Amino acid sequence: MNSFWENQSKKKYGFIHSSSNLSNDKNFSKEKSNNEMKRIKDLLFSSDRKYNSCIEIGAGSCQWTYMLSKLCKKVLATDTCKSMLDMGQDYTMKKKPINKIDFFYGDICNIKYPLNSPYDLVFISGLILYLSKNQFSKLIKFISMNTKSSSTLILREPVGINKEFVLDNVYSKELKTNYSAFYRTEKTIIDSFKLNNFFVETNDWLHPENSKFNKWKETRLKLISLRRK
């Protein structure tokens, strides 16, 4: 999928995060991003928890990075697509964050001693649908090795409704390119983390049932918070 995201980063969008939201409609993408930002802020800032160290895996255009830096003393934003991360880094640093943000290009799961580990907060947005079974297992292992008791994991992730849904090199008219994704069910995702000492704190649909942001009948966005035992 790296070539897909490299191409996404080269497209000209009226709104920077349209590249991550996979929408050419500037107003639609901006409204969707603002709505989701509010939901995620409400979730993260609802408690009095203070986080020393956060890792954002699959940061892309860094839609959430600046927000995370307001909550955490140190943030490490990672991505395997250099062009997307370069764009996101430029966007984030222009906002002049107060707390420290570092950026890592590459597969962070290959790093034995990642910067600022262990993490109090792990944030993942729209990443798991692009991972193979082995890559997903590798991600879970990395998170388990680099978190501690009471660490929080936030997932903003599209899931298959009732069953898995697979797109295998299918042409998208909106994106004007072929697209692949593997939408696991929420049960599959949650159970995988439960087996690695995480338990669910909250589990909600990100958008209401009849929202215009639920574009597909087969998949829908989840916002899930888990805590390390």
Side-chain angles (χ1 to χ4, degrees):
M1 287 296 294
N2 269 11
S3 59
F4 170 82
W5 289 111
E6 289 288 346
N7 290 332
Q8 279 293 102
S9 69
K10 294 171 185 174
K11 293 179 181 179
K12 301 298 181 184
Y13 289 107
F15 175 58
I16 182 173
H17 303 309
S18 291
S19 57
S20 299
N21 287 327
L22 304 180
S23 174
N24 293 317
D25 186 326
K26 173 185 174 181
N27 293 330
F28 177 90
S29 186
K30 201 166 190 176
E31 184 181 353
K32 180 174 182 287
S33 179
N34 288 339
N35 284 1
E36 293 181 5
M37 185 69 71
K38 183 180 185 308
R39 283 292 310 278
I40 294 170
K41 271 185 177 179
D42 288 346
L43 174 63
L44 283 172
F45 289 82
S46 61
S47 71
D48 293 328
R49 293 199 72 195
K50 301 297 182 184
Y51 301 97
N52 180 56
S53 179
C54 169
I55 184 168
E56 181 183 7
I57 306 175
S61 62
C62 295
Q63 187 167 188
W64 320 106
T65 310
Y66 177 70
M67 176 197 70
L68 293 170
S69 74
K70 290 183 177 181
L71 191 67
C72 312
K73 293 180 181 178
K74 295 171 289 187
V75 177
L76 176 62
T78 83
D79 206 281
T80 58
C81 177
K82 189 175 188 304
S83 296
M84 286 290 289
L85 192 62
D86 285 347
M87 178 173 66
Q89 180 173 356
D90 183 61
Y91 164 80
T92 303
M93 300 319 289
K94 282 179 179 177
K95 296 175 79 69
K96 302 187 186 320
I98 297 173
N99 289 331
K100 184 174 177 58
I101 301 175
D102 291 292
F103 299 86
F104 176 87
Y105 159 63
D107 186 350
I108 192 67
C109 296
N110 289 333
I111 305 302
K112 192 171 182 179
Y113 301 108
L115 187 67
N116 304 332
S117 175
Y119 305 103
D120 304 307
L121 176 63
V122 179
F123 188 88
I124 296 175
S125 172
L127 171 67
I128 295 173
L129 74 161
Y130 301 119
L131 302 181
S132 68
K133 182 177 180 180
N134 287 340
Q135 289 171 328
F136 185 37
S137 296
K138 184 178 172 184
L139 173 69
I140 294 172
K141 182 179 179 181
F142 172 86
I143 293 171
S144 296
M145 291 179 65
N146 291 284
T147 52
K148 55 191 177 182
S149 177
S150 80
S151 290
T152 296
L153 168 64
I154 303 294
L155 302 177
R156 173 203 168 273
E157 191 70 22
V159 300
I161 299 175
N162 299 323
K163 62 180 181 179
E164 294 176 348
F165 181 67
V166 180
L167 293 174
D168 186 7
N169 204 34
V170 175
Y171 183 76
S172 166
K173 290 182 180 179
E174 182 171 13
L175 298 174
K176 297 179 181 179
T177 188
N178 285 24
Y179 182 75
S180 297
F182 175 27
Y183 300 87
R184 295 167 171 86
T185 64
E186 65 177 288
K187 185 179 186 305
T188 296
I189 294 172
I190 289 172
D191 285 352
S192 298
F193 283 104
K194 280 184 176 179
L195 289 172
N196 288 269
N197 295 318
F198 281 87
F199 65 92
V200 175
E201 287 194 308
T202 64
N203 179 12
D204 299 297
W205 296 113
L206 191 48
H207 301 289
E209 185 174 357
N210 296 320
S211 171
K212 64 183 177 181
F213 302 122
N214 300 325
K215 295 176 67 176
W216 316 112
K217 63 180 181 180
E218 301 90 354
T219 66
R220 194 171 163 191
L221 270 169
K222 272 281 178 178
L223 181 59
I224 304 170
S225 172
L226 303 104
R227 183 76 67 89
R228 178 78 184 269
K229 292 181 182 179

